[in-house]
Amino acid sequence: MEKNTVNANAHADRQVIEINGEAVGVVVPDAGTLKFVAVKYHVWELDAQRFDTADAARHAVVAHLAGAGARPGRWAELAA
């Protein structure tokens, strides 16, 4: 079963974006939006993009990883 979650951590102002229980990035408030900070290479292309909500950032990560389906490796599998 796929688990795509947005977890609030100890700091209410930032949220960890997880795919199947593994952190791939963090969203932090920036200029009235949430800025995505990538912590995994496979989502690096999304680094510094801004989103209205953490859920929107998570959806962008899932879509990005699904687009990586032609590439080998477990990141494509996680988004499937």
Side-chain angles (χ1 to χ4, degrees):
M1 172 186 273
E2 180 178 319
K3 291 183 185 177
N4 297 323
T5 61
V6 178
N7 292 328
N9 63 17
H11 301 279
D13 60 340
R14 56 187 165 184
Q15 294 181 49
V16 176
I17 306 297
E18 295 181 349
I19 302 297
N20 287 342
E22 186 162 1
V24 296
V26 178
V27 289
V28 295
D30 185 58
T33 63
L34 295 173
K35 181 170 83 171
F36 181 77
V37 179
V39 298
K40 295 292 184 182
Y41 180 75
H42 290 85
V43 295
W44 201 254
E45 291 87 357
L46 299 175
D47 191 58
Q49 286 191 23
R50 287 167 170 72
F51 299 93
D52 291 331
T53 65
D55 198 45
R58 181 186 57 81
H59 286 293
V61 168
V62 169
H64 176 74
L65 292 175
R71 289 184 256 171
R74 68 188 213 103
W75 289 105
E77 295 168 8
L78 291 177

